[in-house]
Amino acid sequence: MNYTALVVEDDPQSLDLIEDVLVVLDHKHDVAATLLEARRLVRANEYSYILLDIEFPARSPRGIPRIQNAESFLEDLAEGQGEDAPPVIIMNDRAAGDLDLTEDMMRLAMSLCRKGAIDLIKKPFPTAGRTLDRVIKKALGSNGKRKSRAAVSARAGAPTPVGKTTGRARTAAADPLTLTRPEHDILQALGESPHETMLQVDVIAAAGYSKHVTAQALRRLRKVGFVRRPHGPRKGDTLTVEGRAFFDVEHADKKK
């Protein structure tokens, strides 16, 4: 099957890496460095999927990259194509320090998810595990067909609000920013898995906890919106967009 991607990216170095991956996948692609170019191309052509940088200029490659431009593009896409819109993968190169708080990154991921993004991958792209190739294949679906917007939305799941501070003490049961050690380790196992989903037995093997502890942790991770069970024949659990953003920020912090 022939696939064509729209790549919205203004950084030449990142674009080189993306184009290498698309050559390997044998996918055709168009490139837009600005919001104006992206709008023009998506109105004139049909794309199998879109790789969208988290921030890029509005009208000139020399302009100031802004997250608001990515949000505006997603809104235009949803308004113009509705359920027929191609899946959108956000490419995130914002470090945790850029947003000061992990919760800020969570809010951003939730906002992009509500506007139509179905997945998120950090830059620089991993060279093993959850690579850009695998994220693209996941977005297209294991059956090799482009999924409709309805199927994509069901797969991504509705975002769950993040717990906020009140006058009372914050508790682990209500606040995803205070995950327990097993929950952290299981989130990491899911985040580092090259597979689309993981069965509970595989999570147990990867994270090293008992069946009871693993099941309890997975229930809470689903409750806070970091993990979900996809619709369809595939069994197991997968990270949501919010869970992916949280994992990426946590992983970046550990590398510092």
Side-chain angles (χ1 to χ4, degrees):
M1 185 170 181
N2 297 323
Y3 294 106
T4 303
L6 173 61
V7 181
V8 185
E9 175 61 73
D10 63 312
D11 176 54
Q13 186 174 1
S14 294
L15 183 57
D16 283 344
L17 296 173
I18 294 166
E19 290 182 327
D20 283 347
V21 170
L22 296 182
V23 166
V24 172
L25 293 173
D26 196 24
H27 291 182
K28 298 177 182 179
H29 70 281
D30 293 328
V31 177
T34 67
L35 177 59
L36 287 180
E37 285 182 287
R39 283 173 172 169
R40 176 180 61 80
L41 287 170
V42 83
R43 288 167 183 165
N45 304 287
E46 181 176 350
Y47 294 104
S48 310
Y49 60 97
I50 298 173
L51 299 175
L52 185 69
D53 192 18
I54 199 168
E55 52 183 0
F56 50 90
R59 58 189 178 87
S60 168
R62 295 184 299 275
I64 299 174
R66 301 171 70 238
I67 292 175
Q68 289 82 355
N69 295 333
E71 293 177 323
S72 179
F73 177 81
L74 287 170
E75 291 168 355
D76 292 345
L77 188 67
E79 183 178 346
Q81 300 192 27
E83 293 185 355
D84 294 325
V88 179
I89 299 166
I90 298 292
M91 301 180 292
N92 176 31
D93 57 358
R94 295 184 69 86
D98 291 341
L99 294 174
D100 297 326
L101 296 172
T102 304
E103 192 167 348
D104 289 336
M105 178 61 83
M106 288 299 305
R107 290 196 186 100
L108 175 59
M110 291 167 66
S111 172
L112 296 173
C113 180
R114 283 194 295 269
K115 294 178 188 299
I118 68 158
D119 212 338
L120 182 150
I121 186 170
K122 64 181 177 179
K123 296 191 291 184
F125 303 116
T127 56
R130 191 176 180 273
T131 62
L132 180 60
D133 319 49
R134 290 189 171 109
V135 171
I136 290 172
K137 290 177 181 178
K138 175 182 174 183
L140 293 174
S142 57
N143 60 0
K145 297 180 181 178
R146 188 183 67 169
K147 293 190 175 295
S148 68
R149 170 58 63 185
V152 166
S153 297
R155 189 178 188 134
T160 301
V162 176
K164 297 182 180 180
T165 303
T166 64
R168 303 174 184 176
R170 299 169 80 173
T171 63
D175 186 358
L177 302 185
T178 55
L179 298 182
T180 64
R181 175 48 54 191
E183 290 163 356
H184 269 287
D185 292 344
I186 288 170
L187 195 73
Q188 181 174 351
L190 289 166
E192 294 179 345
S193 172
H195 305 294
E196 184 174 346
T197 60
M198 286 184 75
L199 296 173
Q200 182 172 307
V201 64
D202 297 321
V203 176
I204 290 171
Y209 292 97
S210 68
K211 181 178 179 180
H212 173 73
V213 171
T214 301
Q216 188 177 42
L218 283 171
R219 279 197 296 271
R220 180 167 177 256
L221 289 170
R222 294 185 199 113
K223 183 177 180 180
V224 300
F226 285 1
V227 169
R228 73 181 304 274
R229 289 173 171 167
H231 294 283
R234 293 194 69 89
K235 303 297 183 182
D237 289 276
T238 188
L239 294 186
T240 62
V241 174
E242 298 90 333
R244 172 58 55 187
F246 187 88
F247 167 77
D248 286 344
V249 172
E250 290 283 289
H251 197 61
D253 287 342
K254 289 177 181 178
K255 288 185 174 182
K256 290 182 180 180

